[in-house]
Amino acid sequence: MTTALENVDLRVGQGELFGVLGPNGAGKTTLIKILVTLLLPTSGEALVDGLDVVRDYKHLRSRISMVSGGEQAGYGILKVREQLWMFSQFYGMNSKAARRRIDELLERLGLAEAANKQITGLSSGMRQKMNLIRGLMTDPRVLFLDEPTVALDVGAARDVRSEVQRWMREDPTRTVILTTHYMQEADELCDRVAIVNRGRIVAEGAPRALKESVDEDVIVDLQLDPGTPLLDLLRAIEGVGAASVREEDGVDRFSLLLADDAILPRVMTTVESAGRRVSGLVRRQPTLEDAFVKLVGRSMTEEEA
Amino acid sequence: MGIVMPRQLIGFAAAVRLGWAVSSNWTRPILFVTYAVLRPISVALILAVMYSVITHNAAAARPYLAFLIIGTAFWSFIQEGVSEFATGILEDRGRYHILKYTYMAPLGFPLFLVGRATSKLASAAASVVIVLVVGTFALQLSISPLRIDYPLLIAACVLAFISVIAFAITLSMVLLAGKDTHGYGEIMAQFLYLFSGAIFPIAVLPGPIAWLAALSPLPYWLELCRRSILHGQVYQMFPSLSDGEVLLRLVIATAGTVVLGYVIYRWTDRRARGLGYIDMEANW
Ligand SMILES: Nc1ncnc2c1ncn2[C@@H]1O[C@H](COP(=O)(O)OP(=O)(O)OP(=O)(O)O)[C@@H](O)[C@H]1O
Ligand SMILES: [Mg+2]
């Protein structure tokens, strides 16, 4: 039997926007499913808003809601407003108040014109916004967002993020737990994040604090023309804390964490002896991604060996 | 399932509306005509014609013909309530990806399911009436709306309604707690068809199966439907029992179904949640 989560010990404060960061299969969704009472933990204890997710699940359910990204959720033949209203009723909301709130949220997320459209006819961005409205309209104490912007275009993702931020500002006692594998999203949105890898928490703290963990390092971006594989060779160099690569516009962009400047000549020697040509080199400020690579040993998008 | 509070009542009403909008066939007339009218009528008529050929249309065979038609007409309840409904719940999970959200809602999942099933059973009731009317004219059965014992019929159908709903929501959870359960709802309905006394008396079943069938509420319900519609002119499965005695058995069997259904529901709910199947993406 595989264990999806192990020794996860987390505490999220009221009013926090907390991020759970991790690559595919890290256990983010599993964690959320346990917290929203969809999955029973095999061992351990979890409290949400002071209620035990196993014993008090019935009371807990009226205080939380969840929105998952990357799925086409919704009864296709219902209209947007109709489906939202039905969910408001499952939460026992007053019908009139619910309609007002739904219209207000539709308006704010730019869906007012789609309110009477069938859900089948929505783009995936519109559907995701509709789902966000479903999560927000019941005014949960804790809102769970599982990759809320995955597969959205830049504009829709920005709308979703800013609505979440606005909702948090509206009432400082609200709490959001959000999973993502977009580093920038976590950096921009979250008060604190936990980095999860293979079911374990490898780091936890404010994005700025995590970035400080790579402050001592020299961070270099190397741009190389395509050629023989280089990543393992670079990682083998003493003083290279971490290395990652992504292909972009036909060139390989390497990010290197070096213990100090003196390592750079060794890196260049390795690159040249592999016959690769350097087309760009910059030294830059650390990002959350760099902290992640240093902690996990690989980038978010890199497949596990 | 807890006490029904006003908050839960409005949620329940919304679940009824949802079932109506999403899966009651009559919002799509062609589907309604095909599944709730043409299908049961053809089943009833095929059986009736087969039976008439075998019995050479003898007058003595009339009571059994009526038995057959009333049995198949009321069968729509099981077809819609069990098979179609349980399939609908799997659709909510696999096709609409929305089951996890209704499952999490404070309304409570069992109450949601009851609401969602209600419109199915209402459309099944329409189908029952249509099949009875068509069957009466086509086969010249002596059914008259003025001679029906309505109190008995309604009492029997209310109890059957409770059993079917209990059975349907339990079956839904059983299917949700299994891995590749698509299509099992249909198989279950066929299985019940055989030992509910819909097309032949349960006494002709082999010993242990007949005994099992006698524990189910369905034969008593169908017996009461037949008696209330055609007193004395229809073949009886339980000739030694009075109407009151059949009704009593139906009450007991219904109570048993509800209790057993609740126990199984609780157990399979824990299983589904333990395995994380409530939001499973496969299975569609
Ligand atoms: N119901 C289940 N039973 C057993 N293992 C499961 C189940 N669901 C997921 N897993 C496994 O648990 C691990 C964690 O999966 P999870 O979906 O939580 O990851 P994730 O971090 O959300 O990944 P992604 O970014 O792909 O969404 C994976 O190895 C997955 O295969
Ligand atoms: Mg996930």
Side-chain angles (χ1 to χ4, degrees), chain A residues 96-110:
Chain A
K96 246 196 192 145
R99 284 183 198 283
R100 213 170 15 209
R101 183 134 178 78
I102 289 166
D103 282 344
E104 186 189 306
L105 285 163
L106 284 169
E107 184 74 41
R108 200 152 56 218
L109 278 154

Side-chain angles (χ1 to χ4, degrees), chain A residues 28-29 146-147:
Chain A
K28 306 180 294 292
T29 300
D146 191 9
E147 309 216 22

